[in-house]
Each structure stands twice: as structure tokens, then as C-alpha cells.
Amino acid sequence: TPVAGERIGKSVSASMRYTPSFEQYTPDSLTVLEDTSYEKTLEYRGNLREALAPLLQNTDAEFDIFARYVATGNESYLQSLVPMAGRYTQAATLAGRVPVPKDAVDTHVRILNSLLQFASVLESMATWGNDPFASAVLLQTYNTAEREVFYAFDALATYYVQKTKNL
């Protein structure tokens, strides 16, 4: 019956998980600066801003693009997620080359890995978004990955605030 189908669907979807696959950064993969002065922090901030510039090309929200696919069935919306994911990967790669003050290493690693995780989810949405079960699982993972990007950058903002308080 439709009621039984809905119950089974909810049960199955609750147990399905997707773990994004990407090569993770570690503190050892970074160039770490011993100098944690405010001046070095400002330099780091400027370099990081430049490294993250590819993200400025993502002008539409990824979720909105996926919603347009769901509404229209037009797979070009799914394919438009591919270059967006590429820009997250590119930003993480560029930011991975930025020298990091030693007191910002953990936050920096978190940012890099959150960007790569989100890129992986977007790539998977582009590939598997036309499958109803996969898209349900991917949307759950999307929310988690997006939230981690926000939290990682919030941690960076907190780092900057602490630096200015310590002046």
C-alpha cells in the first residue's frame, strides 16, 4: 500500500549514508609559520582571501540549482554543479599553499577539508542526483557538508576576533 511504501521509504532513507571521498589535509601538509604576530595574521588573511577568490564565481546557491533540476528534470542543472564543485576544490588547493601562522593551523585545516567535502558532495549530486534514493541521501549529506563550511569559516572569524582582542 502507499502507506506501507512510505513507511519503508522512510526507514530505508534513515539508514542510508553517504561519506564524501576526498584527500584530506593535515597540519603536516601545510607550510606553518612560527610568527603569529598580528601583522603576519593580516598577511595570512590577505593571502587566504586571494586563494578563495574562485568561490566568488559561484553566484547561485547550489541548493537552488538542485531544486531547479528537481522542478524541471533538466539535467543541465545537475551538470552546472560540476564547475561549481571544481571551484571549491580549486579554492582549497590554492588555500592549501598559503603559509599559515601556527596558531591558525587547526582552523585552516578545517576550512580546507570542509571545502573539499562540499565539493565532493556537489560532484556526487551532479552524478547521482537523478536517482531518487541517492538524491535523498545526498541532500542529507549536502546539509551536513554545507553546515561544516559555515562552521569552519565561523571558526576563522573567531580566530581573527581573538587576534584583534590580543592587541
Side-chain angles (χ1 to χ4, degrees), residues 67-147:
R68 285 185 228 144
Y69 162 72
V70 170
T72 66
N74 183 340
E75 295 213 5
S76 69
Y77 288 116
L78 290 180
Q79 292 314 303
S80 70
L81 294 173
V82 174
M84 295 177 90
R87 288 188 280 274
Y88 279 95
T89 301
Q90 180 186 17
T93 300
L94 293 171
R97 297 178 189 149
V98 170
V100 183
K102 72 178 179 180
D103 60 348
V105 167
D106 291 339
T107 301
H108 194 80
V109 166
R110 186 176 183 187
I111 288 168
L112 299 176
N113 289 330
S114 72
L115 293 172
L116 292 174
Q117 177 185 27
F118 195 63
S120 177
V121 172
L122 292 177
E123 289 168 0
S124 295
M125 289 173 77
T127 303
W128 301 104
N130 57 1
D131 178 289
F133 283 112
S135 63
V137 172
L138 286 166
L139 286 173
Q140 290 176 342
T141 308
Y142 172 93
N143 287 335
T144 302
E146 181 185 48
R147 191 171 28 251

Side-chain angles (χ1 to χ4, degrees), residues 25-26 28-31 37 45 49 72 79 86 108 129 148 157:
Y25 280 87
T26 66
D28 293 336
S29 58
L30 303 177
T31 300
S37 68
R45 184 176 69 180
R49 183 181 302 143
T72 66
Q79 292 314 303
H108 194 80
E148 178 56 21

